[in-house]
Amino acid sequence: MSESELREKVVNALKSVYDPEIPVDIYELGLIYDIKIFPVNNVYILMTLTSPACPSAGTIPGEAEQKVREIEGVADVSVELTFDPPYSQDMMSDVAKLELGFM
């Protein structure tokens, strides 16, 4: 599998993870800051949460890691949580904004 194919599968896996309080997936919400694919299909994800006090802080990063780890061919997954830059609604995709009534 090529790097671009794996990246697409990673994005699709992340689109299956939802913040339980918001009916939009974490990718469209803009919570994923970076996805890197390293040799031998090791995946690195840099992400944030809507707030440092997010009640789902203990579950969302782990669920994201689990979903990506389930992709056939992925050797390892590392999820790093950051709050720099702080999350804002401007990071949402147009799909998310439309779904949440911001457009």
Side-chain angles (χ1 to χ4, degrees), residues 31 33-34 44-48 61 78-82:
L31 299 181
Y33 286 172
D34 195 14
Y44 169 80
I45 299 165
L46 180 64
M47 68 175 291
T48 192
S78 174
V79 176
E80 182 179 348
L81 196 57
T82 185

Side-chain angles (χ1 to χ4, degrees), residues 52-63:
C54 176
S56 300
T59 59
I60 292 175
E63 185 178 351

Side-chain angles (χ1 to χ4, degrees), residues 39-99:
V40 199
N41 295 340
N42 291 312
V43 180
Y44 169 80
I45 299 165
L46 180 64
M47 68 175 291
T48 192
L49 299 170
T50 54
S51 155
C54 176
S56 300
T59 59
I60 292 175
E63 185 178 351
E65 179 181 341
Q66 176 190 356
K67 296 283 184 173
V68 173
R69 200 173 285 283
E70 291 171 0
I71 299 169
E72 187 175 337
V74 167
D76 196 21
V77 181
S78 174
V79 176
E80 182 179 348
L81 196 57
T82 185
F83 294 100
D84 185 29
Y87 178 77
S88 75
Q89 292 179 356
D90 295 337
M91 296 173 170
M92 285 187 220
S93 70
D94 288 344
V95 170
K97 290 176 183 175
L98 187 61
E99 181 72 27

Side-chain angles (χ1 to χ4, degrees), residues 6-22:
L6 180 54
R7 182 179 175 77
E8 184 177 330
K9 289 184 179 204
V10 168
V11 168
N12 287 334
L14 293 172
K15 285 184 174 187
S16 71
V17 179
Y18 288 78
D19 182 320
E21 298 176 353
I22 305 170

